[in-house]
mmCIF file of all heavy atoms in Angstrom:
data_model
loop_
_atom_site.group_PDB
_atom_site.id
_atom_site.type_symbol
_atom_site.label_atom_id
_atom_site.label_comp_id
_atom_site.label_asym_id
_atom_site.label_seq_id
_atom_site.Cartn_x
_atom_site.Cartn_y
_atom_site.Cartn_z
ATOM 1 N N LEU B 4 68.968 86.945 94.872
ATOM 2 C CA LEU B 4 68.477 88.153 94.227
ATOM 3 C C LEU B 4 67.526 87.784 93.090
ATOM 4 O O LEU B 4 66.541 88.484 92.827
ATOM 5 C CB LEU B 4 69.678 88.947 93.718
ATOM 6 C CG LEU B 4 69.446 90.270 93.020
ATOM 7 C CD1 LEU B 4 70.537 91.243 93.400
ATOM 8 C CD2 LEU B 4 69.420 90.062 91.514
ATOM 9 N N ALA B 16 68.552 93.163 87.512
ATOM 10 C CA ALA B 16 69.264 94.441 87.486
ATOM 11 C C ALA B 16 68.549 95.469 88.351
ATOM 12 O O ALA B 16 69.176 96.218 89.102
ATOM 13 C CB ALA B 16 69.390 94.937 86.053
ATOM 14 N N SER B 19 69.073 94.826 92.025
ATOM 15 C CA SER B 19 70.413 95.250 92.391
ATOM 16 C C SER B 19 70.476 96.763 92.545
ATOM 17 O O SER B 19 71.024 97.286 93.507
ATOM 18 C CB SER B 19 71.409 94.785 91.318
ATOM 19 O OG SER B 19 72.688 95.279 91.604
ATOM 20 N N ARG B 20 69.872 97.458 91.590
ATOM 21 C CA ARG B 20 69.908 98.927 91.634
ATOM 22 C C ARG B 20 69.192 99.463 92.862
ATOM 23 O O ARG B 20 69.660 100.398 93.505
ATOM 24 C CB ARG B 20 69.274 99.480 90.366
ATOM 25 C CG ARG B 20 70.178 99.322 89.161
ATOM 26 C CD ARG B 20 69.497 99.794 87.883
ATOM 27 N NE ARG B 20 70.296 99.442 86.722
ATOM 28 C CZ ARG B 20 69.826 98.786 85.660
ATOM 29 N NH1 ARG B 20 68.540 98.419 85.611
ATOM 30 N NH2 ARG B 20 70.619 98.509 84.649
ATOM 31 N N ASN B 23 71.312 98.685 95.995
ATOM 32 C CA ASN B 23 72.587 99.394 96.088
ATOM 33 C C ASN B 23 72.426 100.897 95.939
ATOM 34 O O ASN B 23 73.378 101.638 96.127
ATOM 35 C CB ASN B 23 73.552 98.869 95.023
ATOM 36 C CG ASN B 23 74.012 97.458 95.319
ATOM 37 O OD1 ASN B 23 74.710 97.226 96.294
ATOM 38 N ND2 ASN B 23 73.594 96.503 94.505
ATOM 39 N N PHE B 45 65.518 88.958 102.575
ATOM 40 C CA PHE B 45 66.665 88.803 101.679
ATOM 41 C C PHE B 45 67.839 89.702 102.044
ATOM 42 O O PHE B 45 67.668 90.855 102.419
ATOM 43 C CB PHE B 45 66.244 89.102 100.238
ATOM 44 C CG PHE B 45 67.399 89.147 99.295
ATOM 45 C CD1 PHE B 45 68.057 87.983 98.923
ATOM 46 C CD2 PHE B 45 67.876 90.366 98.816
ATOM 47 C CE1 PHE B 45 69.141 88.022 98.072
ATOM 48 C CE2 PHE B 45 68.960 90.412 97.968
ATOM 49 C CZ PHE B 45 69.594 89.240 97.593
ATOM 50 N N GLN B 52 78.959 89.582 95.613
ATOM 51 C CA GLN B 52 79.248 90.987 95.319
ATOM 52 C C GLN B 52 80.736 91.200 95.143
ATOM 53 O O GLN B 52 81.191 91.859 94.220
ATOM 54 C CB GLN B 52 78.779 91.871 96.473
ATOM 55 C CG GLN B 52 77.290 92.009 96.617
ATOM 56 C CD GLN B 52 76.953 93.008 97.715
ATOM 57 O OE1 GLN B 52 77.192 92.731 98.891
ATOM 58 N NE2 GLN B 52 76.410 94.143 97.349
ATOM 59 N N ARG B 55 82.153 89.780 91.918
ATOM 60 C CA ARG B 55 81.747 90.569 90.767
ATOM 61 C C ARG B 55 82.466 91.923 90.734
ATOM 62 O O ARG B 55 82.994 92.354 89.719
ATOM 63 C CB ARG B 55 80.236 90.762 90.838
ATOM 64 C CG ARG B 55 79.609 91.559 89.725
ATOM 65 C CD ARG B 55 79.964 91.009 88.375
ATOM 66 N NE ARG B 55 80.506 92.081 87.568
ATOM 67 C CZ ARG B 55 79.941 92.566 86.475
ATOM 68 N NH1 ARG B 55 78.886 91.995 85.966
ATOM 69 N NH2 ARG B 55 80.459 93.589 85.857
ATOM 70 P P DC D 8 73.194 78.042 90.613
ATOM 71 O OP1 DC D 8 72.080 77.164 90.991
ATOM 72 O OP2 DC D 8 72.952 79.251 89.795
ATOM 73 O "O5'" DC D 8 73.928 78.522 91.939
ATOM 74 C "C5'" DC D 8 74.678 77.625 92.755
ATOM 75 C "C4'" DC D 8 75.775 78.419 93.417
ATOM 76 O "O4'" DC D 8 76.895 78.496 92.515
ATOM 77 C "C3'" DC D 8 75.372 79.858 93.679
ATOM 78 O "O3'" DC D 8 74.882 79.956 95.015
ATOM 79 C "C2'" DC D 8 76.674 80.645 93.511
ATOM 80 C "C1'" DC D 8 77.579 79.712 92.704
ATOM 81 N N1 DC D 8 77.951 80.181 91.350
ATOM 82 C C2 DC D 8 79.303 80.262 91.002
ATOM 83 O O2 DC D 8 80.161 79.961 91.844
ATOM 84 N N3 DC D 8 79.643 80.664 89.758
ATOM 85 C C4 DC D 8 78.694 80.970 88.870
ATOM 86 N N4 DC D 8 79.086 81.353 87.658
ATOM 87 C C5 DC D 8 77.312 80.895 89.206
ATOM 88 C C6 DC D 8 76.992 80.503 90.445
ATOM 89 P P DG D 9 73.385 80.561 95.236
ATOM 90 O OP1 DG D 9 73.019 80.292 96.647
ATOM 91 O OP2 DG D 9 72.494 80.126 94.149
ATOM 92 O "O5'" DG D 9 73.602 82.123 95.070
ATOM 93 C "C5'" DG D 9 74.523 82.770 95.918
ATOM 94 C "C4'" DG D 9 74.761 84.161 95.397
ATOM 95 O "O4'" DG D 9 75.470 84.092 94.151
ATOM 96 C "C3'" DG D 9 73.496 84.975 95.119
ATOM 97 O "O3'" DG D 9 73.672 86.240 95.699
ATOM 98 C "C2'" DG D 9 73.453 85.041 93.603
ATOM 99 C "C1'" DG D 9 74.927 85.052 93.280
ATOM 100 N N9 DG D 9 75.267 84.674 91.919
ATOM 101 C C8 DG D 9 74.582 83.811 91.107
ATOM 102 N N7 DG D 9 75.138 83.655 89.934
ATOM 103 C C5 DG D 9 76.259 84.468 89.973
ATOM 104 C C6 DG D 9 77.247 84.712 88.983
ATOM 105 O O6 DG D 9 77.338 84.242 87.851
ATOM 106 N N1 DG D 9 78.221 85.607 89.432
ATOM 107 C C2 DG D 9 78.229 86.183 90.681
ATOM 108 N N2 DG D 9 79.242 87.015 90.937
ATOM 109 N N3 DG D 9 77.308 85.968 91.619
ATOM 110 C C4 DG D 9 76.359 85.098 91.195
ATOM 111 P P DC D 10 72.505 87.275 95.887
ATOM 112 O OP1 DC D 10 71.990 87.161 97.239
ATOM 113 O OP2 DC D 10 71.581 87.193 94.753
ATOM 114 O "O5'" DC D 10 73.354 88.621 95.796
ATOM 115 C "C5'" DC D 10 73.270 89.422 94.652
ATOM 116 C "C4'" DC D 10 74.660 89.659 94.113
ATOM 117 O "O4'" DC D 10 74.985 88.549 93.261
ATOM 118 C "C3'" DC D 10 74.747 90.900 93.252
ATOM 119 O "O3'" DC D 10 75.256 91.966 94.046
ATOM 120 C "C2'" DC D 10 75.686 90.524 92.137
ATOM 121 C "C1'" DC D 10 75.735 89.007 92.152
ATOM 122 N N1 DC D 10 75.171 88.374 90.930
ATOM 123 C C2 DC D 10 75.919 88.389 89.749
ATOM 124 O O2 DC D 10 77.010 88.963 89.751
ATOM 125 N N3 DC D 10 75.429 87.782 88.650
ATOM 126 C C4 DC D 10 74.230 87.173 88.688
ATOM 127 N N4 DC D 10 73.794 86.564 87.585
ATOM 128 C C5 DC D 10 73.447 87.158 89.881
ATOM 129 C C6 DC D 10 73.936 87.757 90.961
ATOM 130 P P DT D 11 74.933 93.482 93.659
ATOM 131 O OP1 DT D 11 75.447 94.309 94.753
ATOM 132 O OP2 DT D 11 73.523 93.554 93.255
ATOM 133 O "O5'" DT D 11 75.814 93.724 92.352
ATOM 134 C "C5'" DT D 11 77.227 93.745 92.481
ATOM 135 C "C4'" DT D 11 77.828 94.102 91.146
ATOM 136 O "O4'" DT D 11 77.397 93.152 90.134
ATOM 137 C "C3'" DT D 11 77.429 95.480 90.628
ATOM 138 O "O3'" DT D 11 78.594 96.009 90.010
ATOM 139 C "C2'" DT D 11 76.335 95.177 89.609
ATOM 140 C "C1'" DT D 11 76.817 93.853 89.041
ATOM 141 N N1 DT D 11 75.795 92.927 88.481
ATOM 142 C C2 DT D 11 76.032 92.370 87.255
ATOM 143 O O2 DT D 11 77.019 92.624 86.587
ATOM 144 N N3 DT D 11 75.072 91.493 86.817
ATOM 145 C C4 DT D 11 73.908 91.119 87.486
ATOM 146 O O4 DT D 11 73.133 90.311 86.989
ATOM 147 C C5 DT D 11 73.712 91.750 88.769
ATOM 148 C C7 DT D 11 72.488 91.412 89.562
ATOM 149 C C6 DT D 11 74.643 92.613 89.201
ATOM 150 P P DT D 12 78.781 97.571 89.796
ATOM 151 O OP1 DT D 12 80.033 97.961 90.453
ATOM 152 O OP2 DT D 12 77.515 98.233 90.103
ATOM 153 O "O5'" DT D 12 79.018 97.649 88.218
ATOM 154 C "C5'" DT D 12 79.680 96.567 87.564
ATOM 155 C "C4'" DT D 12 79.383 96.639 86.092
ATOM 156 O "O4'" DT D 12 78.299 95.742 85.755
ATOM 157 C "C3'" DT D 12 78.954 98.019 85.607
ATOM 158 O "O3'" DT D 12 79.466 98.200 84.295
ATOM 159 C "C2'" DT D 12 77.428 97.898 85.542
ATOM 160 C "C1'" DT D 12 77.307 96.469 85.041
ATOM 161 N N1 DT D 12 76.006 95.794 85.292
ATOM 162 C C2 DT D 12 75.633 94.792 84.434
ATOM 163 O O2 DT D 12 76.292 94.439 83.496
ATOM 164 N N3 DT D 12 74.421 94.223 84.741
ATOM 165 C C4 DT D 12 73.572 94.552 85.796
ATOM 166 O O4 DT D 12 72.512 93.962 85.961
ATOM 167 C C5 DT D 12 74.042 95.621 86.647
ATOM 168 C C7 DT D 12 73.207 96.067 87.809
ATOM 169 C C6 DT D 12 75.220 96.186 86.356
ATOM 170 P P DA D 13 80.244 99.555 83.970
ATOM 171 O OP1 DA D 13 81.528 99.114 83.373
ATOM 172 O OP2 DA D 13 80.207 100.461 85.112
ATOM 173 O "O5'" DA D 13 79.365 100.180 82.814
ATOM 174 C "C5'" DA D 13 79.941 100.413 81.580
ATOM 175 C "C4'" DA D 13 79.980 99.183 80.707
ATOM 176 O "O4'" DA D 13 79.160 98.121 81.256
ATOM 177 C "C3'" DA D 13 79.444 99.471 79.308
ATOM 178 O "O3'" DA D 13 80.179 98.762 78.329
ATOM 179 C "C2'" DA D 13 77.997 98.996 79.381
ATOM 180 C "C1'" DA D 13 78.044 97.893 80.434
ATOM 181 N N9 DA D 13 76.843 97.909 81.267
ATOM 182 C C8 DA D 13 76.554 98.752 82.302
ATOM 183 N N7 DA D 13 75.402 98.508 82.879
ATOM 184 C C5 DA D 13 74.905 97.428 82.175
ATOM 185 C C6 DA D 13 73.716 96.684 82.300
ATOM 186 N N6 DA D 13 72.778 96.933 83.222
ATOM 187 N N1 DA D 13 73.531 95.678 81.419
ATOM 188 C C2 DA D 13 74.470 95.420 80.495
ATOM 189 N N3 DA D 13 75.638 96.042 80.299
ATOM 190 C C4 DA D 13 75.784 97.042 81.180
ATOM 191 P P DC D 14 80.081 99.370 76.839
ATOM 192 O OP1 DC D 14 81.125 98.678 76.065
ATOM 193 O OP2 DC D 14 80.040 100.847 76.921
ATOM 194 O "O5'" DC D 14 78.641 98.881 76.355
ATOM 195 C "C5'" DC D 14 78.371 97.476 76.247
ATOM 196 C "C4'" DC D 14 76.933 97.286 75.813
ATOM 197 O "O4'" DC D 14 76.062 97.290 76.971
ATOM 198 C "C3'" DC D 14 76.428 98.385 74.868
ATOM 199 O "O3'" DC D 14 76.000 97.790 73.655
ATOM 200 C "C2'" DC D 14 75.268 99.045 75.625
ATOM 201 C "C1'" DC D 14 74.860 97.950 76.608
ATOM 202 N N1 DC D 14 74.232 98.446 77.856
ATOM 203 C C2 DC D 14 73.060 97.824 78.324
ATOM 204 O O2 DC D 14 72.584 96.867 77.698
ATOM 205 N N3 DC D 14 72.479 98.285 79.460
ATOM 206 C C4 DC D 14 73.021 99.317 80.115
ATOM 207 N N4 DC D 14 72.418 99.714 81.226
ATOM 208 C C5 DC D 14 74.211 99.958 79.652
ATOM 209 C C6 DC D 14 74.769 99.504 78.536
ATOM 210 P P DA D 15 75.527 98.784 72.431
ATOM 211 O OP1 DA D 15 76.135 98.229 71.198
ATOM 212 O OP2 DA D 15 75.733 100.210 72.806
ATOM 213 O "O5'" DA D 15 73.963 98.498 72.411
ATOM 214 C "C5'" DA D 15 73.479 97.189 72.745
ATOM 215 C "C4'" DA D 15 71.990 97.260 72.934
ATOM 216 O "O4'" DA D 15 71.677 97.689 74.291
ATOM 217 C "C3'" DA D 15 71.296 98.266 71.999
ATOM 218 O "O3'" DA D 15 70.148 97.652 71.431
ATOM 219 C "C2'" DA D 15 70.934 99.430 72.916
ATOM 220 C "C1'" DA D 15 70.710 98.718 74.240
ATOM 221 N N9 DA D 15 70.889 99.558 75.431
ATOM 222 C C8 DA D 15 71.866 100.486 75.660
ATOM 223 N N7 DA D 15 71.773 101.085 76.826
ATOM 224 C C5 DA D 15 70.648 100.503 77.401
ATOM 225 C C6 DA D 15 70.006 100.699 78.641
ATOM 226 N N6 DA D 15 70.434 101.570 79.550
ATOM 227 N N1 DA D 15 68.913 99.958 78.901
ATOM 228 C C2 DA D 15 68.489 99.083 77.984
ATOM 229 N N3 DA D 15 69.005 98.802 76.778
ATOM 230 C C4 DA D 15 70.090 99.557 76.559
#
Side-chain angles (χ1 to χ4, degrees):
Chain B
L4 181 143
S19 175
R20 286 176 189 128
N23 290 294
F45 172 72
Q52 289 185 291
R55 180 54 233 245

